[in-house]
Amino acid sequence: MVEKIHILDRDFALSISSEIIQEKVKAVADKLNKDYAGKNPVMVCILNGAFVFAADLVRYINTFQPEILFVRFASYDGVKSTGNVRELMGLNANLEGRDVIIVEDIVDTGTTMKNILPLFESKGASNIAICSFLLKPDKFKVDLNIDYVAMEIPNDFIVGYGLDYNGFGRNYRDIYKVLD
Ligand code: 5GP
Ligand code: MG
């Protein structure tokens, strides 16, 4: 594990180690294991950022058999949230009467989640839970309950563990925060 990385024009410093990340992911998985035991929820991984979290999360699931789907939107440009959401890959599954667990990498202002929720609701899900790896509580500004959160973090822009800076940095198993 290196202390400092450089991506494109920016330097980043180590912020959260993979050991801590795995502990927190397992803790969230254990909550799901308790709440969904014996059920058959659909877990929807929001691409691209949540792919690493989702991959780790589902491998700690052992009390139920989830269906695992992927959907893709885009809302983030560089290091600043743009506030609008574009759907890039549609959700073509029938969620009628299903328990849905949305698996997201990070909830920042909450705008993205707020905007994509109606899409899931319109597909007839009987229950929708949001499971986010990270939450930035200081910036969170929408009226929405994030049911499962692995870690709360300060306002820094971070990369690694699936999260990118202009497309790069997703491969790191630790999390790094931007230096200015
Ligand atoms: P929100 O709509 O909640 O403000 O932003 C949510 C989305 O912005 C996340 O799904 C994620 O893609 C992106 N995002 C928010 N904060 C960060 C961050 O610190 N690093 C990276 N790489 N993406 C972020
Ligand atoms: Mg995301």
Side-chain angles (χ1 to χ4, degrees):
M1 145 170 84
V2 288
E3 291 296 323
K4 233 176 158 190
I5 59 172
H6 182 84
I7 301 173
L8 302 173
D9 57 344
R10 301 257 182 169
D11 291 312
F12 296 81
L14 183 65
S15 175
I16 310 169
S17 73
S18 66
E19 287 76 17
I20 306 247
I21 292 170
Q22 290 302 317
E23 255 172 49
K24 302 289 186 181
V25 172
K26 187 166 187 313
V28 169
D30 283 341
K31 282 190 199 141
L32 294 174
N33 278 327
K34 216 168 137 232
D35 294 351
Y36 290 88
K39 297 185 175 174
N40 293 97
V42 184
M43 294 178 82
V44 184
C45 169
I46 312 291
L47 294 173
N48 295 324
F51 82 108
V52 177
F53 172 51
D56 281 346
L57 183 70
V58 299
R59 284 178 291 175
Y60 289 120
I61 298 296
N62 50 27
T63 68
F64 62 92
Q65 293 181 342
E67 231 180 295
I68 301 165
L69 304 180
F70 301 84
V71 66
R72 183 161 177 232
F73 308 91
S75 72
Y76 224 74
D77 199 4
V79 293
K80 207 168 141 281
S81 191
T82 55
N84 69 339
V85 172
R86 281 183 303 134
E87 185 182 346
L88 298 181
M89 189 174 105
L91 190 65
N92 42 26
N94 180 11
L95 303 179
E96 206 65 50
R98 302 292 301 271
D99 289 322
V100 172
I101 304 168
I102 300 175
V103 181
E104 179 61 300
D105 52 359
I106 182 165
V107 173
D108 186 358
T109 61
T111 311
T112 308
M113 199 44 77
K114 187 94 182 171
N115 288 339
I116 68 179
L117 259 187
L119 220 118
F120 290 89
E121 283 158 355
S122 72
K123 308 233 178 243
S126 69
N127 182 276
I128 302 171
I130 300 167
C131 177
S132 182
F133 171 52
L134 300 169
L135 174 69
K136 289 181 181 171
D138 295 347
K139 278 180 79 185
F140 191 65
K141 61 172 189 199
V142 299
D143 168 29
L144 198 68
N145 185 40
I146 311 297
D147 307 85
Y148 303 90
V149 174
M151 302 183 78
E152 295 193 349
I153 59 164
N155 265 344
D156 313 302
F157 181 82
I158 51 125
V159 296
Y161 199 69
L163 291 135
D164 73 307
Y165 171 53
N166 286 342
F168 295 95
R170 298 190 196 276
N171 55 295
Y172 291 97
R173 58 178 62 236
D174 308 293
I175 285 180
Y176 293 82
K177 69 174 178 195
V178 74
L179 297 169
D180 29 41

